[in-house]
Amino acid sequence: MTEKNNIKELPRLQWFPGHMRKAQRLIEENLKLVDVIIELLDARVPASSANPMLAEMIAGTPRLIALNKSDLADPAMTKAWLNYFHIQGIKAVAIDANKGKGMKQLMSEVEDLARPRTERFAKSGGRPRAARCMILGIPNVGKSSLINRLAGAAKTKTANMPGVTRAKQWIKIDKNLDLLDMPGILWPKFEDSSVGLKLAFTGAINDDIYDQEQVVELLLEALLRDAPKRLIERFKLPEPLPQRGHELLELIGRKRGCLVKGGNVDIDKAQRIVMAEFRAGKLGHVTLDQVPTSSTEMDTNEKVTSAH
C-alpha cells in the first residue's frame, strides 16, 4: 500500500458468502427484463469497486456508470475518472445519493440510453412503457440510498454495512422509469491484494473478516504519505509525525483519550475512530484509485491514494 511496502506483504482479503453466488444467478436471469444497467461505483475507488464479473455478464446491455459518494472523493480525481470513462465511450456521472447531487443528470442519461429499446418496443406493437433499469454494484456502494433518493421515500432497507439487500425488488420511480434493485456482489478472488485492502477501507468488505488493526495501520500509512496535514489537523497531532502505522495509531488514541487502566491505549477503540472518520470523509476528500494510463483495462497500482 505504501511505497515501503511490497505488494506481496499486503493482507489478502476475500469475502464471497453463499448469498452472493445466488445474487449472481439472479442478475443473469433478469438481465433480459431491463433496458439499461446503472453500475454504481464508489467514487473513492472507481477501479477497485468495479466488479470484473459484471462486465462480462452485462455485455450488450446499455450501461451508465454512476460514481457515488463523490462528496467523499477528491473532486479533481473524480473529474479525471469521468473523463476516462468518456474516452472509453461509457456514459458516466458523479452523484451523491445521500444529498441528491447529480440525480437529474442520472435520470436524463438513463432515459436517453433506454429510449432506443422502449421506442423499438412500442413500434413493434407493444404498449408504451417506462424505461426499465437494473442497479448493480458491490456491497455498501449505496444502491439502496440511490433508490430511496430517486423514489423520494424509504422504499428499500438501507444500512451502512455490506450485504443488506438480499433479493431483487422492483421500484417504480415515476411514469418514465422502473428500477430493479439487486443484491450487491463481490467476486470470488481479488487478483490484486491492494483491491481487497481498499474495499476494506471503504466498507465494502465485512469488518469482521480481517485484522482491523493491520488494515487501519496501512490506511494511516497511506494517509501519512499523501495527506499528513489532514491527519495533523483532524487529530491535533504534534510534528514530526511517527512514520509507522502502529505508532501513529497509538498517538491518535492518546490524543482522543482512548486510554485504559495503566495509561495504555485502547487500540480497538482508536482504530474504530480512525476508520469511522475516514469513511465519513472527516479526514478529507480522498481517492484511492489512480486513473488508468492504459485504455484497455481498469487496473490499480501500488501508489493509490490521492487526497484533497
Side-chain angles (χ1 to χ4, degrees), residues 30 33-38 106-107 110-111 114 118 127-135 147 150-151 155 169-181:
N30 286 276
L33 301 179
V34 300
D35 307 306
V36 179
I37 299 293
I38 295 178
L106 181 141
M107 291 280 285
V110 167
E111 290 176 12
T118 55
R127 294 180 59 186
R129 62 168 175 78
R132 294 172 178 170
C133 177
M134 181 186 290
I135 297 184
I147 290 174
L150 291 173
K155 301 278 186 174
Q169 305 180 73
W170 277 106
I171 298 106
K172 189 162 192 64
I173 301 303
D174 58 31
K175 65 178 182 179
N176 297 319
L177 182 63
D178 293 333
L179 290 183
L180 180 57
D181 182 27

Side-chain angles (χ1 to χ4, degrees), residues 39-303:
E39 184 178 4
L40 204 58
L41 304 180
D42 188 321
R44 297 167 296 177
V45 284
S48 299
S49 60
N51 188 335
M53 291 169 52
L54 293 182
E56 187 175 336
M57 290 166 57
I58 67 177
T61 304
R63 174 176 60 146
L64 173 67
I65 286 178
L67 296 179
N68 193 29
K69 305 187 181 183
S70 60
D71 59 312
L72 303 178
D74 179 345
M77 288 294 290
T78 297
K79 186 176 181 180
W81 271 104
L82 291 174
N83 184 58
Y84 168 79
F85 289 123
H86 175 73
I87 291 172
Q88 304 305 309
I90 302 170
K91 295 277 190 180
V93 298
I95 66 171
D96 175 0
N98 284 330
K99 296 179 181 175
K101 177 186 174 183
M103 295 299 107
K104 288 184 179 179
Q105 184 184 2
L106 181 141
M107 291 280 285
S108 176
E109 295 286 4
V110 167
E111 290 176 12
D112 284 348
L113 285 170
R115 191 167 292 114
R117 290 194 175 202
T118 55
E119 288 182 349
R120 188 164 60 246
F121 180 78
K123 288 178 181 177
S124 66
R127 294 180 59 186
R129 62 168 175 78
R132 294 172 178 170
C133 177
M134 181 186 290
I135 297 184
L136 298 177
I138 66 172
N140 205 33
V141 78
K143 296 186 304 300
S144 296
S145 295
L146 173 58
I147 290 174
N148 290 344
R149 171 62 62 177
L150 291 173
K155 301 278 186 174
T156 63
K157 184 179 181 181
T158 63
N160 188 26
M161 59 183 293
V164 170
T165 303
R166 294 294 180 90
K168 71 174 185 179
Q169 305 180 73
W170 277 106
I171 298 106
K172 189 162 192 64
I173 301 303
D174 58 31
K175 65 178 182 179
N176 297 319
L177 182 63
D178 293 333
L179 290 183
L180 180 57
D181 182 27
M182 304 294 279
I185 59 169
L186 291 171
W187 52 106
K189 183 179 180 182
F190 304 139
E191 297 298 334
D192 184 344
S193 297
S194 69
V195 169
L197 192 60
K198 285 177 279 188
L199 294 181
F201 291 166
T202 57
I205 295 178
N206 194 314
D207 288 338
D208 295 333
I209 66 107
Y210 59 81
D211 183 336
Q212 294 182 42
E213 183 176 343
Q214 182 186 21
V215 166
V216 170
E217 287 174 3
L218 287 167
L219 172 61
L220 285 172
E221 289 184 7
L223 294 171
L224 179 64
R225 183 193 67 220
D226 294 325
K229 290 190 181 301
R230 290 297 303 162
L231 291 173
I232 292 168
E233 292 168 2
R234 181 65 190 174
F235 297 113
K236 297 179 173 54
L237 303 178
E239 297 186 72
L241 292 176
Q243 294 303 299
R244 296 187 63 82
H246 73 273
E247 295 172 349
L248 186 53
L249 179 60
E250 184 168 333
L251 179 59
I252 290 170
R254 289 193 180 281
K255 293 295 288 186
R256 285 295 180 89
C258 303
L259 302 176
V260 294
K261 189 174 181 180
N264 295 318
V265 174
D266 184 338
I267 293 296
D268 286 344
K269 186 175 181 180
Q271 69 193 22
R272 287 196 299 271
I273 288 173
V274 171
M275 191 65 89
E277 298 206 0
F278 170 76
R279 290 175 179 172
K282 294 178 180 179
L283 300 182
H285 301 126
V286 178
T287 296
L288 299 169
D289 283 336
Q290 298 295 315
V291 178
T293 54
S294 167
S295 62
T296 58
E297 63 178 341
M298 285 205 301
D299 54 4
T300 55
N301 55 39
E302 204 169 333
K303 191 171 182 181

Side-chain angles (χ1 to χ4, degrees), residues 18-28 182-185:
H19 73 268
M20 289 192 184
R21 295 191 183 279
K22 295 178 182 178
Q24 180 183 341
R25 291 194 296 269
L26 195 64
I27 290 168
E28 292 171 334
M182 304 294 279
I185 59 169

